[in-house]
């Protein structure tokens, strides 16, 4: 049984990053961390589109890119599943997925002239709140 799309994905509609890229990156991170395991069934395009109020073509585009990259695979009768090649990544690879997000946050913190301790404290608070 696939995970409910509303709990699997978090879409920032006001983000400059296109929604399909947000979906792609979230699936990559979930697969790299082992939260999505090879063979896990993905929610259908229709389920994701309805749950997140997205255009089905946006979801389809994300799934297509993930399939081309070998993260997802089509299984007859099952729809999309996490590909066998999408085994959990090494810690260094996982950190590499997080780095661009943290680099953007660091640039914004510098632009706001926030000191390191304040930013790290806020980040620690956010980590605790999102458990």
């Amino acid at each position: 049984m696939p995970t409910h799309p509303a709990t699997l994905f978090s879409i920032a509609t006001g983000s400059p990053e296109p929604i399909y890229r947000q979906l792609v990156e979230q699936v990559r991170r979930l697969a790299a961390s082992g939260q999505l395991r090879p063979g896990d069934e993905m929610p259908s395009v229709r389920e994701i589109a309805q749950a997140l109020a997205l255009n089905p073509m946006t979801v389809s585009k994300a799934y297509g890119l993930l399939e081309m990259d070998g993260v997802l695979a089509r299984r007859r009768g099952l729809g999309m599943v996490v590909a066998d090649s999408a085994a959990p990544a090494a810690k260094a690879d996982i950190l590499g997925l997080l780095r661009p997000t943290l680099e953007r946050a660091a640039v914004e913190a510098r632009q706001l002239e926030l000191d390191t301790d304040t930013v790290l404290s806020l980040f620690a608070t956010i980590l605790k709140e999102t458990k």
Side-chain angles (χ1 to χ4, degrees):
M1 182 80 180
T3 306
H4 192 272
T7 59
L8 190 61
F9 300 111
S10 173
I11 300 302
T13 54
S15 170
E17 185 175 30
I19 292 172
Y20 78 92
R21 290 285 333 138
Q22 291 179 48
L23 292 170
V24 167
E25 293 307 316
Q26 288 178 45
V27 171
R28 284 183 200 282
R29 287 192 295 267
L30 290 167
S33 70
Q35 293 178 63
L36 287 176
R37 300 183 196 296
D40 282 355
E41 186 179 344
M42 294 296 295
S44 72
V45 168
R46 182 180 297 135
E47 289 172 321
I48 294 173
Q50 287 177 344
L52 301 175
L54 301 175
N55 185 319
M57 293 302 294
T58 300
V59 180
S60 183
K61 181 175 184 174
Y63 271 15
L65 290 171
L66 288 161
E67 184 179 19
M68 283 186 352
D69 290 346
V71 178
L72 297 181
R74 287 187 199 278
R75 293 277 166 84
R76 190 178 194 142
L78 289 178
M80 296 297 265
V81 295
V82 178
D84 292 336
S85 61
K91 187 161 190 144
D93 295 333
I94 291 171
L95 291 174
L97 291 171
L98 181 60
R99 187 175 181 89
T101 301
L102 293 178
E103 286 174 345
R104 286 190 301 273
V107 167
E108 289 184 31
R110 293 288 176 237
Q111 290 171 345
L112 295 168
E113 298 181 344
L114 296 172
D115 65 274
T116 301
D117 291 336
T118 300
V119 173
L120 292 176
S121 175
L122 175 60
F123 186 60
T125 300
I126 292 168
L127 283 173
K128 289 175 187 169
E129 291 173 355
T130 57
K131 279 192 175 181

